[in-house]
Amino acid sequence: MKRLWKLQELDLAIGVLEDKIENNPLRQEAGTAEECLARAEEALNRAEQSLKEQRKKLKRGELDLEAITTEYKELHQRLYSGEVKNIKELEQMEIRLRSVKQNQLTLEEKLLGLMEAIEEQEELAHGLTGQRDKAAAERQERQRQLDEELARLRNELDQLQEQRELLAARIEPKQMQLYRDLARRHQGRGLARVINDICQGCSVFISSAQRGFLYDPEALVYCENCGRLLVRFTEEETRTDWVE
Ligand SMILES: [Zn+2]
């Protein structure tokens, strides 16, 4: 009976450990850190993408400005070269020159604004890179803590399972079946210790008739109140964490 009790203790401890592995709070923290990193990476990617587009726009604008500047120079040269004598044609050229100059100024202003925007965007991307790196370091640390904790718990679990196997090998199949039936009926706690004539499963005094049976190691004595199989422990045995 005491072996069955020990088996129950081991099974309960294994259950607690499995739950700790399955529902470890560090899993939640690692998951949160992972999400933070994903968000930081997304924000950085967006900023970099937009920066790339702005730079492309600037490049195109610079080419346009070059073309306009060349056009302006050529027009200006022709207008004052004396080649064109026709007054009407000269007037047309002057209008055209003013218009080109205006386009040039407008474009220059636009490009200046774009350069400022790019500078701002670069600063933003720089800040986001810092945030991403921080989030990555945080995630790595959380993952490391989780891995460490899980390795520790799994090691503990392995040890308990090994103990359980050794113990189970020393229990007769008939008793194992009894243990399983009782465990199923009482949510894993089919056996209860009796300490000072009290059933530790339901905290009720056991009857004097049952008390006598408990001294017979072969007898199966059940608590009349909760139905658990009773195992008698002396006070000393409970203090010393009995192991056979
Ligand atoms: Zn009981």
Side-chain angles (χ1 to χ4, degrees):
M1 284 314 114
K2 282 178 181 171
R3 280 186 194 153
L4 286 189
W5 165 259
K6 183 70 189 171
L7 188 68
Q8 175 172 291
E9 290 285 274
L10 281 172
D11 278 344
L12 290 172
I14 285 169
V16 167
L17 265 179
E18 281 171 344
D19 182 63
K20 269 188 193 166
I21 289 170
E22 190 76 24
N23 304 308
N24 201 283
L26 291 180
R27 272 189 207 279
Q28 178 82 25
E29 286 179 26
T32 306
E34 183 92 50
E35 283 165 26
C36 272
L37 176 60
R39 274 200 299 276
E41 267 172 352
E42 205 188 304
L44 178 60
N45 282 345
R46 268 202 307 271
E48 279 176 342
Q49 187 58 35
S50 135
L51 193 56
K52 223 165 109 185
E53 277 158 23
Q54 281 175 316
R55 282 181 179 142
K56 236 191 253 171
K57 219 163 140 189
L58 179 65
K59 190 86 198 157
R60 273 200 307 271
E62 281 167 349
L63 290 175
D64 287 349
L65 184 62
E66 248 178 61
I68 289 175
T69 306
T70 306
E71 188 187 358
Y72 178 81
K73 269 188 200 153
E74 283 170 2
L75 260 173
H76 191 271
Q77 214 177 2
R78 246 187 108 214
L79 182 62
Y80 296 104
S81 65
E83 278 171 40
V84 185
K85 304 267 193 272
N86 185 310
I87 296 290
K88 201 143 188 159
E89 200 179 332
L90 283 171
E91 269 175 12
Q92 289 298 320
M93 280 178 75
E94 241 175 288
I95 289 168
R96 174 87 191 123
L97 194 67
R98 272 202 297 274
S99 155
V100 171
K101 185 74 194 169
Q102 191 52 51
N103 285 348
Q104 191 189 22
L105 290 174
T106 306
L107 188 54
E108 272 172 354
E109 216 167 291
K110 201 178 129 192
L111 292 183
L112 272 177
L114 198 51
M115 277 187 251
E116 271 170 32
I118 285 173
E119 230 169 84
E120 272 173 36
Q121 189 69 14
E122 277 170 346
E123 249 171 67
L124 179 74
H126 181 74
L128 288 173
T129 303
Q131 281 177 26
R132 195 269 321 268
D133 291 348
K134 226 176 110 190
E138 171 78 7
R139 191 204 69 113
Q140 200 182 14
E141 174 61 13
R142 293 287 175 199
Q143 190 62 46
R144 191 192 61 75
Q145 283 176 358
L146 174 64
D147 290 345
E148 215 177 87
E149 175 72 355
L150 289 183
R152 192 181 67 75
L153 291 172
R154 285 188 182 122
N155 183 41
E156 221 175 293
L157 183 62
D158 284 349
Q159 283 176 17
L160 284 182
Q161 269 160 349
E162 204 183 302
Q163 278 183 46
R164 188 199 189 277
E165 266 173 50
L166 287 175
L167 183 62
R170 295 167 64 201
I171 297 173
E172 304 213 347
K174 220 175 86 185
Q175 284 203 316
M176 273 308 258
Q177 191 54 50
L178 173 67
Y179 171 76
R180 278 194 288 269
D181 291 344
L182 285 167
R184 207 166 29 243
R185 226 173 300 152
H186 297 277
Q187 286 82 43
R189 292 175 191 269
L191 280 81
R193 286 191 299 183
V194 177
I195 299 171
N196 293 330
D197 296 334
I198 295 171
C199 166
Q200 301 298 305
C202 63
S203 302
V204 164
F205 265 105
I206 58 165
S207 71
S208 53
Q210 284 176 303
R211 214 170 297 161
F213 288 125
L214 276 176
Y215 287 91
D216 176 359
E218 300 298 316
L220 295 177
V221 187
Y222 293 91
C223 173
E224 286 175 326
N225 185 53
C226 69
R228 289 184 173 91
L229 182 59
L230 296 174
V231 189
R232 197 181 67 89
F233 277 75
T234 63
E235 257 188 282
E236 198 190 343
E237 280 171 335
T238 63
R239 269 200 304 273
T240 53
D241 185 27
W242 172 87
V243 184
E244 195 185 352

